Amino acid sequence: KPLDKPLDKPLDKPLERSMAPPTIMTRVALTRALTRAFTITSRRKRGPKRTDTANTNTAKAVCIMALLLLSVLVMFASCLASSSSSRGRWADFMSMDIGTRVSGGRVQPAAAGGHYSGLGRTNFGSSSSLLAKRTCIKSTRENSKRSSGTWRKQLASKLVARSGNERDFFYKVTAESVDRMAAAYDELIKDLVWRTPVRTTKGVAGGRWRASLEAARSEEDDNRKEETDKLRHLKPIQNEAKTKLDAMAMPHKKDEPFRFLSMRKLYMPRFSSCRGPVSRGVIDFAAQRETKGRTAVFVDGTFDNQLSDNLPEDLRASGCYVGGMDDLPADLLPRVLAEIKEVPIDKYGSEWFATLTQRMMNDVAVVYLAENAQIEQPIQLTFYTSPPPAASSTSDVSLLDKATTSFPRIVVLADKNSKAQLLFTHTGDPDTVYHSNPTTTIKVSEEADLDMFYHQDQSTKATHIETLNVTLKGDSSSYKWSGLTNGAVIGRINVAIDLKGDDATLELNSASIATSGSQQDVHAFVAHHGLRGSSQQEHRMIIGSKATGIFRGQMKVYKEAEFVDCDQQSRALLLHPTGTAVSMPTLAVTPDKIEGAAHGSAISDLAGEDLYYLKTRGISEAEGKAMLIKGFFRHIVQRFPFDMFRARILEKVVTIAEEATFQYRQDNIEGDNLAGMMQQTDGDLDQFL
């Protein structure tokens, strides 16, 4: 360890000579000498053990002399090293081979126009560390606007925080050196030349899962008869994504964003390119009466003209577009390609799954709202995943155990002063095994108003991992998102919203229903960069037997975002003792001038006294359970302007209410409290409901 940091405990075994510099070996030897010197004891035949004072004084004197000698040697070696290699040390570092490892120590005092800091043990063969450090440089530079030297100091601090404690290798951070480092990282990421091996998943469940996906993709490419213009545009992006995936580590249970998720269930299926027939009944069931004539259907991520409605005349007249890449206008093609080339990255580990969508996508769902376009009626996009082939339709028995996949890539562009309502529905055949992996990018311009409704209604045996990245880049822009997840054995959505424009407004509401051993996971990250921004969040979960509901969110207000009003609330309702609720709302506020910032969380079961009160009014136990759960959920469901949708969701709530159990709290329904409950009027009942 560095000389300015004490050892936690004596080292019992020597370090590897190839990895330990002389200073460390000297310190180990000195530590052992100190340990022996202060434990010199003499033991007699009778009586307690005591320390020999003369030997101890002699040992102290020897140790002091050794420390003085060691200090002189270290000072001499440091002066010699600085005089011989201080000139051009940074240039030598930047010209190192990619596979070279550099280790460092702690921040040193400022000197001669810059300050010294240690670069941690960095493996330049690791793509994850390389991308992380380049992102660190980029974000630190963008977030510091007042002083040109501030972001360089922050960069040095972040690099030191990642440093190891194996060698004392210091370098000087200046304006030119940091710019050269950023340029060098850009070249390394661009070329993707890795000489040292990275962590792989060969031989484990994740590796077999990924290999099965690649095999299904190869079969699909071999069976394709011709290559369209759409695939020619997507092919370079897919190849680049494959290279990135080979260099990235797959998500693991030990990773913080996934420690509550069952990765074993996620990596269990194996896949094939063979698919069964499309169920028109499932697609019609997902359609809403309010979106009739304005529905676009995507089967396995590809736009289907036969199942979709023709674009209405009012959308064409206003210059809007809804559909795939085949009929995409030429002026929109560069904007869409630029969006799908960029991989959405958030702090909750969605980068790998977003890159996987980039690798496996076959089409792009595009929603373009032209400038000043005011769309009154809602537009629905249905994403359907085909089932595996039936036993009667194939002679290959091995295909019956294989699952299908869907990788929708969605881009929504809302130009200045546009307004629309969108409904996204993800569905599939009931009781079928498949994996859905959508990635959505939304850009909202100045004074645009986008109201988005989301419903994840996948099969109870399917897995669903989604990435939603929203940027409010214009002033006075508004975005509302209301989502409901009630399907899939593992359903996860990562929401990352960045409010960059001034006076931007955000409303984020989610409701999750986890039953019968399923896991519903909502991760939300909201960042405020503009002035006078407003964000309101409310997340509710209903958790049944052996199910898990997860919410993890963070609101981050940066220093330049003053006069911000933000709120984040999480509520979880446990219907069964075997259910698990995880709620972690967090808040990070940097500026002093804000309008308000709050966050909260509550997890509870339905109290038995509430059900008892309803039973005293002549309501049966089953009806009482349904009423209480509907009252908990109605607040979110009523935001959806679709009558059939609300009726179906409330009907589903009634079915899961049968497994609800109640904890009767006797101290709340005894004595005077019980008499007071009996004297309440029917008007109080209406207010309670």
Side-chain angles (χ1 to χ4, degrees):
K1 294 190 176 182
L3 295 178
D4 57 345
K5 188 174 182 181
L7 285 174
D8 298 331
K9 59 182 180 179
L11 299 178
D12 297 330
K13 57 182 180 179
L15 302 176
E16 296 180 7
R17 189 171 299 275
S18 60
M19 297 301 297
T23 56
I24 293 182
M25 298 303 295
T26 305
R27 189 173 180 87
V28 172
L30 179 61
T31 303
R32 291 176 176 172
L34 290 172
T35 304
R36 290 194 299 268
F38 285 100
T39 56
I40 297 177
T41 58
S42 61
R43 185 177 295 274
R44 298 182 178 180
K45 293 184 178 180
R46 296 181 179 179
K49 180 177 66 175
R50 69 179 185 178
T51 304
D52 194 336
T53 306
N55 291 340
T56 303
N57 293 335
T58 305
K60 289 182 179 180
V62 172
C63 292
I64 292 173
M65 295 298 296
L67 287 173
L68 292 176
L69 180 60
L70 179 63
S71 301
V72 173
L73 291 176
V74 171
M75 292 176 60
F76 177 78
S78 302
C79 295
L80 183 63
S82 60
S83 61
S84 62
S85 60
S86 60
R87 183 184 304 174
R89 175 175 291 182
W90 174 254
D92 294 338
F93 163 71
M94 291 307 300
S95 61
M96 279 183 176
D97 191 14
I98 297 176
T100 305
R101 292 186 176 184
V102 183
S103 302
R106 302 169 66 86
V107 179
Q108 301 299 310
H115 59 279
Y116 290 86
S117 60
L119 179 64
R121 177 170 181 168
T122 305
N123 184 356
F124 285 90
S126 173
S127 64
S128 59
S129 63
L130 195 65
L131 293 173
K133 285 183 172 55
R134 182 60 184 90
T135 305
C136 165
I137 297 170
K138 183 178 179 181
S139 62
T140 311
R141 179 185 296 179
E142 292 178 352
N143 295 336
S144 298
K145 300 180 179 179
R146 296 187 178 181
S147 175
S148 60
T150 303
W151 70 271
R152 296 189 184 95
K153 295 179 181 180
Q154 294 179 2
L155 169 63
S157 301
K158 289 186 178 182
L159 292 178
V160 172
R162 298 172 178 269
S163 63
N165 293 321
E166 295 185 6
R167 299 184 184 182
D168 295 329
F169 187 94
F170 301 110
Y171 64 91
K172 188 175 182 180
V173 177
T174 61
E176 296 79 7
S177 64
V178 173
D179 292 337
R180 287 198 303 270
M181 181 171 63
Y185 274 120
D186 287 335
E187 292 297 328
L188 293 176
I189 296 173
K190 179 179 178 181
D191 296 338
L192 291 174
V193 180
W194 318 111
R195 294 191 180 184
T196 57
V198 299
R199 187 184 73 177
T200 62
T201 55
K202 184 177 180 181
V204 299
R208 294 191 292 268
W209 187 80
R210 166 78 195 287
S212 179
L213 284 174
E214 289 292 344
R217 179 68 187 186
S218 301
E219 293 177 3
E220 188 175 352
D221 293 340
D222 295 339
N223 296 332
R224 187 176 290 111
K225 297 180 181 180
E226 58 182 359
E227 186 176 2
T228 61
D229 294 337
K230 171 182 61 179
L231 295 177
R232 294 190 192 97
H233 292 300
L234 299 179
K235 198 67 175 179
I237 303 176
Q238 294 172 349
N239 295 335
E240 183 180 358
K242 185 178 183 302
T243 307
K244 291 181 181 179
L245 285 174
D246 294 338
M248 296 171 64
M250 291 186 64
H252 192 269
K253 184 76 173 179
K254 295 183 179 179
D255 298 333
E256 178 62 25
F258 302 96
R259 67 189 182 104
F260 296 108
L261 206 65
S262 176
M263 306 305 289
R264 179 184 61 83
K265 292 182 180 179
L266 179 63
Y267 292 148
M268 185 179 297
R270 299 296 177 261
F271 305 99
S272 173
S273 61
C274 297
R275 306 176 186 273
V278 177
S279 177
R280 185 62 184 264
V282 175
I283 297 176
D284 293 340
F285 183 80
Q288 302 297 322
R289 183 172 58 249
E290 292 79 3
T291 60
K292 185 176 181 180
R294 296 168 177 264
T295 302
V297 179
F298 292 80
V299 178
D300 301 327
T302 304
F303 181 68
D304 195 316
N305 281 313
Q306 297 180 356
L307 299 176
S308 303
D309 299 328
N310 295 326
L311 197 64
E313 187 62 30
D314 58 342
L315 290 177
R316 298 179 182 178
S318 59
C320 300
Y321 177 79
V322 179
M325 287 192 65
D326 288 334
D327 301 328
L328 187 66
D331 56 340
L332 288 179
L333 182 60
R335 295 181 60 180
V336 173
L337 291 178
E339 295 296 339
I340 63 177
K341 285 180 181 178
E342 183 179 355
V343 177
I345 301 176
D346 58 29
K347 63 175 297 181
Y348 292 131
S350 62
E351 179 185 359
W352 192 90
F353 290 103
T355 307
L356 181 64
T357 303
Q358 200 178 45
R359 161 69 180 132
M360 300 293 178
M361 62 182 177
N362 291 323
D363 198 354
V364 180
V366 181
V367 178
Y368 172 68
L369 304 177
E371 185 175 352
N372 299 322
Q374 302 289 322
I375 310 300
E376 299 298 335
Q377 297 183 4
I379 303 171
Q380 182 176 4
L381 279 75
T382 301
F383 299 92
Y384 172 83
T385 305
S386 300
S392 59
S393 61
T394 178
S395 58
D396 192 351
V397 182
S398 61
L399 297 178
L400 301 179
D401 297 332
K402 298 296 182 65
T404 57
T405 58
S406 177
F407 294 90
R409 186 65 172 95
I410 309 167
V411 176
V412 180
L413 303 175
D415 282 354
K416 181 180 179 180
N417 197 27
S418 60
K419 182 179 180 181
Q421 291 183 344
L422 303 177
L423 171 61
F424 287 4
T425 304
H426 298 270
T427 185
D429 286 7
D431 298 328
T432 55
V433 182
Y434 55 86
H435 175 71
S436 178
N437 203 111
T439 300
T440 305
T441 301
I442 300 177
K443 296 296 178 64
V444 184
S445 301
E446 181 180 358
E447 298 180 357
D449 186 2
L450 186 60
D451 200 351
M452 181 175 170
F453 305 96
Y454 170 87
H455 185 206
Q456 185 264 103
D457 191 19
Q458 303 285 16
S459 166
T460 55
K461 297 181 180 179
T463 54
H464 181 90
I465 306 293
E466 182 164 358
T467 301
L468 174 61
N469 189 276
V470 184
T471 304
L472 278 67
K473 59 181 182 180
D475 296 341
S476 301
S477 56
S478 176
Y479 179 75
K480 303 180 184 67
W481 188 87
S482 300
L484 175 65
T485 61
N486 64 300
V489 64
I490 292 182
R492 177 187 175 98
I493 178 170
N494 284 358
V495 181
I497 303 178
D498 195 350
L499 287 77
K500 291 187 176 181
D502 297 339
D503 300 298
T505 304
L506 168 67
E507 290 185 14
L508 187 63
N509 302 280
S510 71
S512 303
I513 301 177
T515 58
S516 303
S518 65
Q519 290 184 322
Q520 300 298 330
D521 187 352
V522 177
H523 278 56
F525 177 74
V526 176
H528 283 271
H529 290 280
L531 298 173
R532 300 176 298 277
S534 175
S535 64
Q536 304 294 325
Q537 300 183 55
E538 185 167 1
H539 307 272
R540 299 205 172 194
M541 299 181 291
I542 293 180
I543 305 166
S545 62
K546 299 181 181 179
T548 304
I550 304 170
F551 169 74
R552 185 172 187 176
Q554 182 179 17
M555 293 186 301
K556 189 171 184 179
V557 184
Y558 288 88
K559 190 173 184 179
E560 63 272 14
E562 296 181 342
F563 308 105
V564 167
D565 185 11
C566 55
D567 181 69
Q568 182 185 69
Q569 300 294 330
S570 172
R571 302 285 184 267
L573 185 62
L574 291 172
L575 302 184
H576 200 271
T578 59
T580 303
V582 179
S583 181
M584 293 179 290
T586 56
L587 177 64
V589 179
T590 304
D592 297 329
K593 299 178 181 180
I594 59 172
E595 293 293 332
H599 70 296
S601 174
I603 301 175
S604 176
D605 56 355
L606 288 177
E609 58 268 20
D610 297 337
L611 181 61
Y612 179 81
Y613 174 81
L614 295 178
K615 292 171 70 174
T616 60
R617 300 295 173 173
I619 300 175
S620 65
E621 182 174 352
E623 293 177 350
K625 290 180 180 181
M627 282 185 178
L628 294 174
I629 298 177
K630 283 182 181 179
F632 177 80
F633 231 41
R634 191 184 298 272
H635 175 66
I636 303 295
V637 176
Q638 289 296 333
R639 296 178 179 271
F640 287 78
F642 310 107
D643 296 336
M644 297 172 57
F645 175 82
R646 292 197 300 264
R648 291 169 184 171
I649 295 303
L650 295 178
E651 182 181 355
K652 184 176 181 61
V653 169
V654 174
T655 60
I656 66 175
E658 298 177 356
E659 66 178 16
T661 59
F662 294 82
Q663 301 297 325
Y664 287 88
R665 300 177 178 87
Q666 296 296 334
D667 55 341
N668 292 334
I669 60 174
E670 290 181 354
D672 298 337
N673 198 5
L674 176 60
M677 292 174 59
M678 295 296 295
Q679 294 175 1
Q680 294 187 13
T681 62
D682 293 337
D684 295 334
L685 174 61
D686 297 336
Q687 183 179 2
F688 171 75
L689 294 179

